[in-house]
Amino acid sequence: WYQRRVREAVVSTQSTGSSGINAEYGGTLLTPTTAANPPQVDWDHVPADPQKKYSLILYSPDCSNCNLHWWQTNISPGDDVTNDVTQLHDYIPPVPLKGTGFYRYVLLLLRQDSDLLGVVPVDRLSKLPELIAEHSLSPVGIAFFQAAWDESVGRILAEKLGADEKQFIAERPKLSSEFYAEELFLRKEWEMKTDFM
C-alpha cells in the first residue's frame, strides 16, 4: 500500500503555474514500520528530459536527529531508483520521536544541471534549501506523507543512526493545571495522614 501511494503521489509539475510544485496537502499518514523499505517511485508521467539526470531526496523538516533520509542521484528517465543509480545516502525509514506527534516527510524529484559524481555525502542534518542551491537542483515532482512514532523507531535509530531513543526523551514542563492538581493531591494526602495521628 505504501509503495502504491508514493507512486501515485509523485506528480507532474506541467500544470502547476508559477510555483513549479503541485502536491496533495498534508499527505498520507504512515507508520515507520509501513515505510521500512525505500519506496518504489514511478515517475513515467513526469515530463523528463532524456538528456538530463535527476535526484530523488526524502527529507523531513521536523526530524531533529535526521533530516536527510534518502538521496539518490544521477537518475536517468526509466532507471529503477532503488537499484540503477548513485546513492549518496542510503534509505533511513521515518524516525518520529515518541510523544512528538506527526512528522512531515517530503519526497522530491529534482533535475540536476550536471552529473553529481564524486560529490561528498553531506551531513544528514543538512537543510534542504542549501542542498538545492549548492548542487543546482530544480524541483520537477513532489510527494508528501506524515508519520508518527511506533515501536520500530528505537530499533531504526540504533541500527541506522547509532543512537539510543532514550537520549531524545525530555521531560516537558508541567502545565499549571497539572501543577495545581499535584499540589491538591499532596495536600489531601497530608490531611489524610494527619487525621489519623
Side-chain angles (χ1 to χ4, degrees):
W1 180 81
Y2 164 63
Q3 308 292 350
R4 181 176 53 81
R5 286 295 295 169
V6 170
R7 243 193 329 267
E8 291 170 358
V10 175
V11 294
S12 168
T13 59
Q14 196 165 10
S15 60
T16 59
S18 62
S19 71
I21 294 177
N22 180 16
E24 173 188 347
Y25 177 75
T28 305
L29 298 178
L30 300 174
T31 64
T33 301
T34 308
N37 297 313
Q40 295 175 347
V41 180
D42 175 18
W43 53 292
D44 293 337
H45 58 285
V46 176
D49 181 349
Q51 304 302 317
K52 294 282 185 181
K53 298 283 186 172
Y54 295 83
S55 281
L56 188 67
I57 292 178
L58 179 61
Y59 183 83
S60 174
D62 302 321
C63 244
S64 62
N65 51 1
C66 176
N67 297 109
L68 189 57
H69 285 260
W70 195 33
W71 190 2
Q72 308 286 78
T73 63
N74 303 321
I75 305 168
S76 295
D79 283 351
D80 176 0
V81 298
T82 56
N83 295 320
D84 302 337
V85 298
T86 305
Q87 181 168 274
L88 285 183
H89 283 292
D90 60 336
Y91 179 77
I92 292 183
V95 286
L97 301 176
K98 189 173 187 175
T100 58
F102 290 97
Y103 283 28
R104 299 166 293 169
Y105 292 86
V106 182
L107 186 64
L108 284 161
L109 180 65
L110 303 144
R111 184 176 48 249
Q112 300 171 192
D113 281 349
S114 61
D115 278 0
L116 296 179
L117 298 173
V119 172
V120 176
V122 297
D123 182 26
R124 287 200 183 264
L125 294 175
S126 298
K127 301 294 181 209
L128 187 61
E130 295 165 5
L131 290 175
I132 289 173
E134 182 180 341
H135 299 289
S136 302
L137 303 172
S138 306
V140 295
I142 191 169
F144 295 100
F145 68 91
Q146 295 182 49
W149 181 89
D150 74 6
E151 298 81 21
S152 70
V153 169
R155 180 185 48 78
I156 295 167
L157 283 170
E159 289 176 6
K160 300 284 187 171
L161 298 173
D164 183 5
E165 185 176 19
K166 292 177 184 166
Q167 79 184 34
F168 299 105
I169 296 172
E171 189 173 324
R172 66 170 173 76
K174 291 181 184 176
L175 301 173
S176 59
S177 58
E178 293 172 320
F179 177 77
Y180 291 119
E182 186 177 300
E183 288 294 315
L184 181 63
F185 174 79
L186 292 173
R187 186 176 303 130
K188 291 287 183 187
E189 185 180 47
W190 183 79
E191 288 173 0
M192 287 174 50
K193 285 180 182 178
T194 56
D195 284 346
F196 292 111
M197 294 182 166

